[in-house]
Amino acid sequence: MPPTLDPDVVDAEVEAARSEARHGRPAEAVARYRSLLARLPSSGDGAELGVRRARALIGLAAAEYELSGDLSGAKATLRDAERIAVDAAAVDLVAPIHGQLALLLLRAGREGEALRAFDRAAEQVHAARDRDQVSLLLNRGVTHMERGSLDVARADLERCATVAEAAGDREGELRARHNLGYAEFLAGRIPRALATMDRAEALNTGAPHPIGLLDRARVLREAGLSADADRLLSQAVDLFASGGLHQDLAEAQLTQSECALVEGDAARALTLARAAERTFARRDNTRWRRKAQLLVLQCERRRVRPGGRAALRRLAARAGALAADCRA
């Protein structure tokens, strides 16, 4: 190992790459991780450097998945990290490895599998670093929200905020408190959701995160403020596109489509919904693809002219096929 790459330097470079990913810049994160891994020996230098290589691989798996949607490739990278962790007897890496796998499954729309992986990670969370605990609790809380288990989600997110605050992890605390606001939104408490998100954003010392813009837009759309929501979504879409965050970009486009439909622009809504569906299909994200397919049908239904019985029958057949796909 070159003399400049002492363990503290490696830790700093891993954290810099992780920060790129957390701020919606996966391409930059991948470049940093790959540059570091190219300079780190793959074996023969003891457990200390092996653990650091494993940490870089854990981060690389998630960043590459965001760019490519290749779940099997990301899993293979995590298996490499796990082999190193086992060889080094690094118990503090067990939770991060399983937690990262869980996050990949969540991003792929496989919430049930993700939750089981998060629960396996939680069994060893006491041995993990504070930042790893924050990531695990945050992502498991989001998974519970996706599944509608709001009380359990709040427990994870409140614990996450507490750990982050005690560790001085201001960004982790912000994300936890922001998601507590999103939990209020899912519970139907829209004014409280907006107020909680505003308090969370007060912790932000940088530019707004595009995920925060997307979540706030969803709340505004539900409140009937679709034009205000669309303005936030336009900012989020630009940020997601420039960062190569294809999953989040498609989710934002889907919400834009919903806003356009409410505003009576069915043609724009249909274009956006179809674009989102293509992205979800490329990423093999069945759950989100079904959401997009349903919205496509709703857009096409809105465009059927009065008396268009043949068109309605065709839509009904496609709706029946979609329902069968969802049941399967």
Side-chain angles (χ1 to χ4, degrees):
M1 183 177 181
T4 55
L5 278 182
D6 62 53
D8 289 341
V9 170
V10 174
D11 286 343
E13 292 199 25
V14 169
E15 189 54 40
R18 183 175 179 173
S19 179
E20 295 283 11
R22 288 176 68 167
H23 287 86
R25 297 186 289 269
E28 289 84 347
V30 167
R32 282 183 174 272
Y33 281 126
R34 288 209 166 278
S35 174
L36 176 59
L37 287 164
R39 289 175 284 147
L40 275 173
S42 58
S43 62
D45 281 83
E48 187 177 32
L49 294 183
V51 166
R52 285 161 172 80
R53 184 174 185 84
R55 285 195 173 277
L57 289 169
I58 292 169
L60 178 65
E64 287 193 328
Y65 175 72
E66 289 300 330
L67 293 176
S68 69
D70 180 6
L71 185 58
S72 61
K75 285 181 174 180
T77 302
L78 285 180
R79 285 195 294 271
D80 289 342
E82 188 170 23
R83 281 192 291 270
I84 295 171
V86 169
D87 289 344
V91 293
D92 62 319
L93 288 181
V94 175
I97 289 169
H98 285 292
Q100 197 74 296
L101 172 61
L103 177 60
L104 295 174
L105 292 167
L106 175 62
R107 298 288 285 168
R110 294 156 63 170
E111 288 88 354
E113 293 175 67
L115 191 55
R116 289 190 290 274
F118 277 128
D119 288 343
R120 287 195 298 274
E123 293 171 2
Q124 297 295 325
V125 71
H126 60 279
R129 294 181 178 183
D130 288 338
R131 282 186 180 274
D132 293 327
Q133 291 187 37
V134 168
S135 294
L136 172 61
L137 292 166
L138 177 70
N139 293 326
R140 190 171 70 166
V142 170
T143 305
H144 281 303
M145 282 199 296
E146 292 281 349
R147 294 173 66 81
S149 303
L150 299 184
D151 289 341
V152 183
R154 286 192 196 95
D156 270 349
L157 293 169
E158 286 167 359
R159 184 180 167 197
C160 176
T162 299
V163 173
E165 185 177 13
D169 183 357
R170 191 180 182 95
E171 184 179 349
E173 184 186 358
L174 185 160
R175 289 159 72 97
R177 298 196 185 285
H178 170 85
N179 277 289
L180 282 166
Y182 199 74
E184 295 290 354
F185 161 61
L186 294 176
R189 296 188 280 266
I190 291 176
R192 189 181 297 180
L194 290 170
T196 303
M197 287 181 176
D198 283 344
R199 287 194 295 273
E201 191 60 27
L203 295 168
N204 190 3
T205 58
H209 195 287
I211 290 290
L213 295 172
L214 172 57
D215 286 347
R216 190 175 183 84
R218 285 168 168 158
V219 178
L220 292 171
R221 178 210 62 205
E222 192 67 21
L225 301 172
S226 55
D228 293 329
D230 197 45
R231 281 192 287 274
L232 291 183
L233 289 166
S234 294
Q235 297 176 52
V237 161
D238 289 343
L239 291 169
F240 289 140
S242 63
L245 292 163
H246 306 293
Q247 172 70 27
D248 296 312
L249 171 60
E251 289 185 31
Q253 288 175 323
L254 211 59
T255 309
Q256 279 186 308
S257 174
E258 293 170 348
C259 291
L261 201 57
V262 167
E263 292 294 312
D265 191 347
R268 177 173 179 251
L270 182 59
T271 297
L272 288 163
R274 283 175 171 166
E277 191 209 339
R278 288 192 296 271
T279 298
F280 297 136
R282 284 195 301 271
R283 296 179 69 82
D284 196 28
N285 192 325
T286 302
R287 179 176 180 271
W288 277 95
R289 187 183 182 192
R290 298 292 180 247
K291 288 185 176 186
Q293 287 172 323
L294 175 58
L295 190 52
V296 166
L297 289 174
Q298 292 170 325
C299 294
E300 292 185 350
R301 171 65 184 89
R302 189 70 65 86
R303 299 184 75 196
V304 173
R305 300 186 180 213
R309 294 183 180 181
L312 288 176
R313 281 195 292 270
R314 288 192 295 272
L315 279 175
R318 288 168 55 200
L322 177 59
D325 286 340
C326 290
R327 284 192 295 269

